[in-house]
């Protein structure tokens, strides 16, 4: 299997410029966290130490986390537990990205997880036992649920094209508020392995609409604009892992197929 072809020079420069400009758009911060953290307000001494650290200490590992994505995660062992996740990602190379996840996009947002993203080529190198941790991305992309707010539509579509057939390994360490469930004041319990939505109807009603209203996005429109990406979609591992685990009707997303179903005898 091969990874998506690199963008042409002009398209690559266009996408890079759009992504560099994205932080300015984030001035329109709108998605506040729902959970207040336990603890006392910062003291003057703590604020002074922070100011000094800002001036004197480097932050090299944080450079490059410039790609902003927003999507939704069901927990693999509890699919009805679902949350909105704001991803801040660094593309390490063409086949690997790493993201820090938050429950909002303001300065008050709580970090509640991490996600690693790999290409189809790297996924093929994983042993079978490892693959159960990696969720497929085609459903998120083709449904329009995964968005990159603030950049031009053409740049966003180019970005999504590079993520077709990719996989993510996501751990949430903190329930800061899931649909229908209050958040915890602190990170409690075991890490939760997150998964992805691969069928219409799996995501709880209202989640997408709430996100779209807050960020000014239109999931339905994005889905229509990405319809031509179906031709790039190949069968993926894990598409059927949550099939039948929801108490409501679900329907297939065109182009989103489980690799086991694709190879099963007929």
């Amino acid at each position: 299997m091969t990874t998506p072809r690199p963008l042409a020079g002009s398209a690559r420069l266009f996408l890079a410029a759009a992504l560099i400009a994205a932080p300015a758009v984030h001035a329109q911060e709108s998605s506040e966290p729902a959970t207040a953290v336990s603890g006392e307000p910062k003291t003057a001494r703590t604020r002074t130490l922070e100011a000094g650290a800002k001036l004197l200490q480097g932050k090299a590992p944080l450079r490059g986390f410039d790609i902003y994505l927003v999507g939704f995660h069901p927990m693999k062992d509890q699919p009805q537990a679902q949350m909105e996740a704001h991803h801040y990602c660094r593309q390490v190379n063409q086949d690997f990205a790493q993201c820090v996840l938050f429950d909002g996009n303001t300065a008050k947002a709580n970090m509640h997880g991490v996600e690693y993203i790999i290409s189809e080529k790297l996924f093929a190198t994983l042993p079978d036992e490892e693959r159960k941790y990696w969720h497929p991305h085609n459903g998120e992309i083709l449904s329009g649920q995964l968005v990159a707010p603030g950049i031009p539509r053409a740049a966003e579509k180019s970005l999504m094209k590079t993520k077709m057939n990719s996989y993510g390994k996501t751990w949430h360490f903190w329930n800061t508020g899931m649909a229908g469930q209050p958040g915890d004041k602190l990170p409690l319990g075991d890490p939760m392995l997150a998964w992805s939505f691969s069928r219409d109807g799996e995501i709880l009603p209202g989640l997408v609409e709430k996100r779209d209203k807050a960020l000014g996005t239109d999931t339905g429109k994005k889905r229509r604009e990405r319809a031509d990406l179906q031709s790039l979609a190949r069968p993926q591992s894990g598409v059927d892992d949550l099939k039948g685990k929801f108490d409501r009707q679900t329907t297939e997303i065109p182009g989103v197929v489980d690799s086991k179903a694709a190879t099963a005898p007929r």
Side-chain angles (χ1 to χ4, degrees):
M1 300 294 183
T2 59
T3 55
R5 294 175 58 188
L7 298 174
S10 58
R12 187 166 58 247
L13 290 173
F14 172 61
L15 179 56
L19 292 177
I20 291 171
V25 180
H26 295 169
Q28 304 171 12
E29 295 170 340
S30 59
S31 188
E32 291 281 355
T35 299
V37 183
S38 294
E40 296 294 327
K42 294 179 184 178
T43 65
R45 179 180 177 83
T46 296
R47 290 196 297 270
T48 299
L49 289 171
E50 287 178 337
K54 184 177 182 179
L55 290 172
L56 301 175
Q57 292 183 314
K59 302 178 181 63
L62 298 179
R63 294 175 192 158
F65 282 82
D66 300 323
I67 301 175
Y68 174 45
L69 304 169
V70 185
F72 303 92
H73 294 154
M75 303 305 108
K76 190 175 186 183
D77 293 335
Q78 302 177 57
Q80 298 295 344
Q82 304 176 7
M83 66 167 63
E84 181 178 307
H86 296 252
H87 306 54
Y88 291 85
C89 305
R90 180 169 76 90
Q91 192 71 39
V92 178
N93 58 44
Q94 190 65 25
D95 296 292
F96 181 78
Q98 50 192 5
C99 309
V100 184
L101 309 183
F102 293 85
D103 61 358
N105 64 5
T106 70
K108 296 180 181 179
N110 300 304
M111 188 187 82
H112 60 13
V114 298
E115 178 166 359
Y116 299 100
I117 299 174
I118 59 174
S119 66
E120 181 183 34
K121 180 175 73 174
L122 290 187
F123 181 80
T125 69
L126 299 178
D128 289 343
E129 181 63 20
E130 172 64 22
R131 295 183 184 189
K132 66 184 180 183
Y133 299 108
W134 295 83
H135 62 263
H137 282 151
N138 286 353
E140 294 182 289
I141 295 171
L142 294 177
S143 68
Q145 289 180 13
L146 184 65
V147 300
I151 63 175
R153 291 205 314 260
E156 183 192 49
K157 187 173 180 179
S158 293
L159 176 60
M160 295 301 162
K161 184 176 180 180
T162 69
K163 298 305 175 191
M164 286 295 295
N165 304 306
S166 65
Y167 292 85
K169 185 177 186 178
T170 302
W171 292 99
H172 282 285
F173 305 105
W174 187 0
N175 171 19
T176 58
M178 299 193 192
Q181 301 180 29
D184 298 323
K185 298 289 187 179
L186 292 170
L188 303 176
D190 295 329
M192 300 169 286
L193 179 66
W195 211 244
S196 55
F197 295 110
S198 293
R199 283 176 175 74
D200 288 326
E202 291 182 341
I203 192 167
L204 289 168
L207 275 185
V208 173
E209 293 78 7
K210 180 181 178 182
R211 188 275 308 274
D212 283 354
K213 183 177 180 180
L215 298 182
T217 54
D218 187 333
T219 295
K221 183 177 181 180
K222 292 184 185 299
R223 179 173 184 155
R224 294 188 293 273
E225 292 174 345
R226 298 174 189 174
D228 60 325
L229 297 182
Q230 290 179 27
S231 63
L232 303 176
R234 289 184 285 274
Q236 289 197 285
S237 172
V239 167
D240 285 348
D241 282 21
L242 299 186
K243 186 176 181 179
K245 295 187 177 181
F246 297 89
D247 56 0
R248 51 191 172 274
Q249 183 178 0
T250 63
T251 57
E252 294 183 358
I253 298 171
V256 181
V257 179
D258 192 284
S259 53
K260 292 179 181 178
T263 58
R266 302 189 179 210

